[in-house]
Amino acid sequence: MHKLTVLYPEPADRDAFVKYYEQTHLPLAAQLPGLRSWRYSTNISPDAQGNPAKYFAIFEAEFSDVDAFRAAMSSPEGQAVAADVPNYATGGAITLDFEITGGNET
């Protein structure tokens, strides 16, 4: 299994981010070839001391393996997803992709 995680710092306008993200970006991402599952949240909890979270939103996507992930991101759909990020992520975006090497699924 290969996972993509995207962390979004605080945007300039939270409402505009959420509206665009849910109505435009997520439908694009859902079309990635080979995408097995995806999830997101714009409700990240404060840290243990009650300080605001460092990130405003998170997105996770899973692919069968690294080759499926790379094929998805190099596809026309993947290029459209990547090109769309500046349209809503005014605070930027941090992406991590990695092979899942342990754990369990319920």
Side-chain angles (χ1 to χ4, degrees):
M1 186 75 63
H2 197 83
K3 183 176 256 190
L4 168 68
T5 300
V6 184
L7 301 168
Y8 294 100
E10 187 70 35
D13 181 333
R14 284 179 168 221
D15 291 336
F17 178 105
V18 171
K19 182 178 179 182
Y20 189 93
Y21 193 65
E22 292 179 345
Q23 293 179 4
T24 303
H25 190 74
L26 289 174
L28 284 175
Q31 295 176 24
L32 287 169
L35 180 65
R36 292 181 56 136
S37 66
W38 63 271
R39 63 200 60 79
Y40 79 100
S41 179
T42 57
N43 189 24
I44 298 178
S45 301
D47 69 17
Q49 290 75 39
N51 299 310
K54 185 174 181 178
Y55 299 103
F56 169 71
I58 187 169
F59 173 82
E60 296 179 336
E62 293 181 351
F63 298 84
S64 295
D65 53 39
V66 68
D67 292 332
F69 168 72
R70 289 181 181 155
M73 297 314 293
S74 64
S75 72
E77 295 88 349
Q79 291 174 11
V81 167
D84 190 49
V85 173
N87 293 328
Y88 65 91
T90 55
I94 298 165
T95 59
L96 306 165
D97 76 89
F98 53 94
E99 178 183 356
I100 297 173
T101 56
N104 68 358
E105 292 188 33
T106 56

